[in-house]
Amino acid sequence: MLKMIIPTMMLLPTTWFSKNNLIWINLTTHSLIISLIPLLFFNQINNNLTSHSTHLSSDPLTTPLLTLTAWLLPLMIMASQYHMYNESPLRKKLYLSMMIFLQISLIMTFMATELILFYILFETTLIPTLIIITRWGNQAERLNASTYFLFYTLAGSLPLLIMLMFTHNNLGSLNIPLLTLMTQNMTTTWSHNLIWLACMMAFMVKMPLYGLHLWLPKAHVEAPIAGSMVLAAVLLKLGGYGMMRLTSILNPLTEYMAYPFLMLSLWGMIMTSSTCLRQTDLKSLIAYSSVSHMALVIMASLIQTPWSFTGAIILMIAHGLTSSMLFCLANSNYERTHSRIMMLSRGLQTLLPLMAFWWFVANLTNLALPPTINLIGELLVVVTSFSWSYITIALTGLNMLITALYSIYMFITTQRGALTSHIISMKPSFTRENMLMFMHISPIILLSLNPSIIMGFTP
Amino acid sequence: MSFSNYKPSRLAALPSTLDPAEYDTSPETRRAQAERLAIRARLKREYLLQYNDPNRRGLIENPALLRWTYARTTNVYPNFRPTPKNSLMGAVFGIGPLIFLYCIIKTDRDRKEKLIREGKLDRTFQLSR
C-alpha cells in the first residue's frame, strides 16, 4: 500500500522541484506509472479482504474504484495543460499540488479499513476540490457554486460523524470486515429511524439524490476541467462506496427506511433526464446526466441484492469514465469557442472529424450501448429492480429511453448539421486531446471484454 | 374588399400584409415601428461589421444571447415567485409522483412479501437475485 501512497505523496516534491518546462511531462509520466499499481490489487485470493496494513486494505469493491482514481490523475493533468498555459509557474504548481493532494486523500479514502478514517478522508477530499473550483473556475458564479458544494456536503455528513461515534460506542469497533460480523438490532423506533437517516444522508447528498442535487450542476459547470473530471468520475462514487459499506450495519431497517429514497431515485432519474433535453449549457447537460445515472446507483445500493451491488459497482466505473470523457470533450469545445452554449458550436464534424468520432463513442457509451460496461451495469440494476418490484421497469425503461434521447441530442447538436457561420478559426485537435479521449475510452472497451474484474463481490 | 380567411396558428404568425390593422395605423404607431426598425438595423449593422471584418479571429460576442443564457440558467431563482399555477405544477410533477409511486410500489411489494411468506409465490424459475 505504501508503494502507492509514498509515490503519490512524492509527486508533490516532483511538482515543486521540477524545472518549469518539465512539470507536465514529469507529472504525467509518474502518475501514469503509479496508476499501474492498483492493477496489482485485482488478483485477490478470496472475497474477504486483502489487508495491506492495519489501517488500509483493499477488497473487490474498493479496487475498481481505486484503479479509476489512479487512472484519472494523469488524465486530469493532461486535460489541464491548455488552460494553465498562461499562468505563472507558481500557480501551475499550486494547481497541480491541489490535484495531487486530492489524489492522496482519495486513494486513502478508498483503502480505509476503519470507518472513522474513511470519514476523515471523505471530508478532506472536499478542501482541494473547493480550492480548485473557487480559484480556477471561469465565471463569477463559481463562488456561489463552491458555497453550495461545500455546505451541502458538510451539512449532510455531520450527522454521519455523530452516528459513527455512536456505533463505535455500541459495537466497539468500526473495522469494516468486523462490521459484517457484528449486528446492531435496528428496529422501527423513531431513534433508529433517525440513526438510519443520519448515516445515509451524507452519501445521499454526495451521490446526489434527486432532491438534494442542487449543488451538482453548479459545481460541475463552474469547475475547471480537472475539477469537473474528478468531481464527476470519483467524488460522486465516494457516496456510492460509503452507502454500500454502511448498509451492512443498518439492517433490517433498510427495508422500510429506503422507500422514500427509492421513490426519489426513481422519479429523479426521469426528471433529471428530461431536464437534460432542454439545457442550453453543454456542461450542465452532462452534469444532469450524471445525476440521472447516479440515481440508478442509489437505487441499486438501497435494494441490496448481490446482483444490484454488482450492477452498482460496474455502473460507477463505467459512468466515471464516460462522464469524465464527456467533460473533456465539452472542454475541448470550450477552449476553442470560449462559450459553453451548445448552439454556438454546431456541425463540428466537418471541421474536426476525429473529435467527432470521440464524441460519437462517448455518447454511445453514455446511452448504454451494448456491449459496453455501461449497459451491463444498467442492465443488472434494471433487472434487480424489476425483481424487487414489477412496477419499476416502467420508470427505468423510460429513463433509458430519455437517456438515449438526450445523448443523441447532444451528439447531433454539436456534431451534425451545418457549421455555425460565424466561426472562422478553430484550432485543429491536438494530439494531447486525442490521447486523452483514447485513454478514457480504452478502459471501457477493455473492460467490456472482461467485466468480471469490476463485478465486485459476487462472481 | 374582404380579407382572406387566413388565420394565424401557433407556428405561423399572420403576415403584416394580411392584417387589417396594418392599413389604418396612426402616426405614433408608424413612428414606433420606425424606431424599432432603426434599433434592429443598428444591431444588424454592428453584427455584420464584425462578421465581415477580415481581421477578426474569434467569436462575435452577442450580448442578447449571453443575457438569454444567463436568464435561463443562473437567474431563474431570484425571479421566482410562487403562483397558484407554479405551486400546482410543483405538486403535480414533483411531489405527487413520489407519493403515487410509494403507494403503488408499497402495496405491490407487501402483496408479494405476503405471498412469499405463505409460500404461495412460484419462484421455481427465479434466476435473478
Side-chain angles (χ1 to χ4, degrees):
Chain A
M1 197 51 229
L2 276 183
K3 62 179 172 277
M4 203 169 164
I5 296 185
I6 299 274
T8 319
M9 283 205 238
M10 281 296 146
L11 281 178
L12 281 170
T14 317
T15 334
W16 286 96
F17 292 136
S18 293
K19 285 202 286 193
N20 285 342
N21 54 349
L22 283 183
I23 313 176
W24 299 102
I25 303 177
N26 274 342
L27 277 182
T28 319
T29 331
H30 290 287
S31 47
L32 265 177
I33 297 174
I34 296 176
S35 73
L36 294 176
I37 299 180
L39 295 175
L40 297 170
F41 301 159
F42 270 119
N43 185 20
Q44 304 207 346
I45 307 174
N46 56 7
N47 262 342
N48 205 2
L49 255 198
T50 308
S51 163
H52 298 268
S53 79
T54 42
H55 306 290
L56 301 170
S57 61
S58 70
D59 68 5
L61 167 58
T62 316
T63 317
L65 290 166
L66 192 62
T67 322
L68 178 66
T69 318
W71 184 244
L72 216 74
L73 182 63
L75 266 50
M76 290 192 319
I77 298 176
M78 277 183 1
S80 313
Q81 269 184 294
Y82 183 80
H83 75 92
M84 298 299 287
Y85 187 67
N86 290 325
E87 305 237 357
S88 69
L90 174 69
R91 295 230 182 93
K92 280 190 221 184
K93 292 178 180 178
L94 268 175
Y95 189 65
L96 292 167
S97 316
M98 283 299 121
M99 286 205 284
I100 298 169
F101 177 40
L102 180 59
Q103 180 78 350
I104 300 173
S105 354
L106 279 171
I107 292 176
M108 290 173 58
T109 316
F110 282 125
M111 310 282 288
T113 318
E114 178 91 32
L115 279 180
I116 302 274
L117 182 64
F118 167 74
Y119 177 79
I120 296 175
L121 293 161
F122 181 78
E123 300 297 312
T124 317
T125 57
L126 288 181
I127 298 174
T129 322
L130 186 73
I131 299 179
I132 292 178
I133 297 179
T134 324
R135 173 62 184 81
W136 281 281
N138 278 319
Q139 271 81 32
E141 287 89 24
R142 66 185 191 266
L143 303 171
N144 196 12
S146 59
T147 315
Y148 266 73
F149 169 61
L150 181 68
F151 285 110
Y152 262 73
T153 324
L154 269 183
S157 54
L158 278 177
L160 175 65
L161 178 63
I162 304 177
M163 277 312 117
L164 286 178
M165 300 281 118
F166 174 72
T167 317
H168 192 113
N169 270 341
N170 267 0
L171 295 178
S173 142
L174 280 174
N175 203 349
I176 292 179
L178 284 182
L179 279 181
T180 55
L181 301 169
M182 301 187 278
T183 47
Q184 271 176 333
N185 202 9
M186 305 280 276
T187 55
T188 47
T189 57
W190 269 108
S191 52
H192 280 166
N193 281 347
L194 280 176
I195 291 177
W196 194 95
L197 268 180
C199 285
M200 285 302 191
M201 264 314 169
F203 306 116
M204 296 294 175
V205 171
K206 196 80 177 171
M207 291 279 329
L209 185 64
Y210 173 57
L212 306 160
H213 69 292
L214 218 47
W215 63 271
L216 186 118
K218 290 185 202 275
H220 273 105
V221 165
E222 305 301 331
I225 178 61
S228 283
M229 284 169 75
V230 81
L231 262 176
V234 186
L235 289 178
L236 265 55
K237 319 310 186 254
L238 277 179
Y241 171 71
M243 259 207 278
M244 288 201 252
R245 285 282 186 223
L246 278 188
T247 44
S248 58
I249 56 169
L250 293 172
N251 277 318
L253 192 55
T254 315
E255 276 179 38
Y256 309 100
M257 284 301 293
Y259 273 99
F261 301 103
L262 279 162
M263 301 310 133
L264 273 172
S265 301
L266 279 170
W267 188 240
M269 278 189 315
I270 298 183
M271 291 296 275
T272 44
S273 313
S274 317
T275 321
C276 280
L277 288 170
R278 57 183 306 265
Q279 290 294 324
T280 39
D281 187 338
L282 185 56
K283 273 178 104 165
S284 183
L285 199 157
I286 307 172
Y288 274 107
S289 101
S290 281
V291 181
S292 165
H293 286 282
M294 283 298 113
L296 275 171
V297 176
I298 298 181
M299 217 169 55
S301 312
L302 289 174
I303 297 180
Q304 290 182 299
T305 67
W307 272 14
S308 78
F309 274 178
T310 307
I313 302 171
I314 301 184
L315 198 49
M316 286 202 284
I317 306 292
H319 170 259
L321 288 164
T322 309
S323 240
S324 177
M325 184 172 184
L326 282 169
F327 275 117
C328 286
L329 288 166
N331 184 56
S332 75
N333 246 354
Y334 180 75
E335 284 168 3
R336 287 171 174 78
T337 53
H338 286 288
S339 132
R340 289 195 301 262
I341 303 174
M342 262 198 301
M343 292 189 312
L344 281 183
S345 50
R346 286 170 289 159
L348 289 179
Q349 189 167 8
T350 356
L351 270 184
L352 306 169
L354 185 55
M355 201 51 87
F357 172 67
W358 300 124
W359 270 103
F360 189 50
V361 176
N363 280 312
L364 286 181
T365 49
N366 197 20
L367 60 91
L369 189 78
T372 59
I373 42 178
N374 294 273
L375 176 77
I376 298 178
E378 271 197 43
L379 201 61
L380 284 169
V381 173
V382 169
V383 161
T384 48
S385 72
F386 180 66
S387 91
W388 180 74
S389 159
Y390 294 152
I391 298 169
T392 55
I393 192 91
L395 297 159
T396 45
L398 186 62
N399 178 53
M400 285 186 83
L401 173 67
I402 305 182
T403 307
L405 283 176
Y406 70 70
S407 297
I408 297 184
Y409 168 63
M410 187 175 18
F411 178 63
I412 290 184
T413 315
T414 49
Q415 304 303 121
R416 307 272 192 204
L419 276 171
T420 45
S421 46
H422 64 270
I423 297 183
I424 43 176
S425 74
M426 221 187 227
K427 302 191 197 65
S429 313
F430 302 120
T431 313
R432 174 185 61 86
E433 289 173 351
N434 288 327
M435 186 66 197
L436 194 60
M437 307 310 159
F438 175 70
M439 285 171 77
H440 271 111
I441 203 69
S442 54
I444 298 184
I445 297 178
L446 289 173
L447 282 171
S448 309
L449 298 174
N450 185 14
S452 63
I453 44 176
I454 52 171
M455 273 192 178
F457 289 108
T458 358
Chain B
M1 172 179 177
S2 68
F3 283 90
S4 66
N5 294 331
Y6 188 81
K7 296 270 183 307
S9 65
R10 202 169 71 90
L11 294 173
L14 195 64
S16 58
T17 45
L18 289 180
D19 185 9
E22 161 81 4
Y23 294 106
D24 44 8
T25 43
S26 54
E28 286 82 25
T29 330
R30 290 284 179 217
R31 210 174 305 130
Q33 280 179 353
E35 274 174 19
R36 287 197 292 265
L37 186 62
I39 295 174
R40 265 205 317 273
R42 176 178 58 83
L43 287 171
K44 183 169 179 178
R45 182 185 163 78
E46 284 173 12
Y47 185 81
L48 282 178
L49 272 175
Q50 279 190 305
Y51 187 70
N52 295 321
D53 182 9
N55 297 327
R56 171 175 72 94
R57 277 212 61 196
L59 276 187
I60 305 175
E61 194 189 86
N62 184 357
L65 185 66
L66 293 175
R67 280 200 303 270
W68 179 74
T69 25
Y70 178 73
R72 279 196 89 185
T73 54
T74 333
N75 208 20
V76 178
Y77 187 63
N79 298 329
F80 175 74
R81 192 187 67 228
T83 66
K85 180 179 171 189
N86 250 334
S87 320
L88 184 68
M89 300 277 268
V92 165
F93 287 107
I95 309 184
L98 299 176
I99 306 179
F100 175 64
L101 282 171
Y102 177 76
C103 294
I104 295 188
I105 295 186
K106 193 87 169 77
T107 44
D108 176 58
R109 276 197 49 82
D110 286 341
R111 188 177 48 88
K112 206 160 117 171
E113 291 279 328
K114 198 163 74 79
L115 285 178
I116 292 177
R117 285 205 184 97
E118 294 165 5
K120 293 201 189 106
L121 192 64
D122 182 20
R123 288 196 293 178
T124 36
F125 296 113
Q126 172 92 351
L127 276 178
S128 72
R129 16 187 78 259

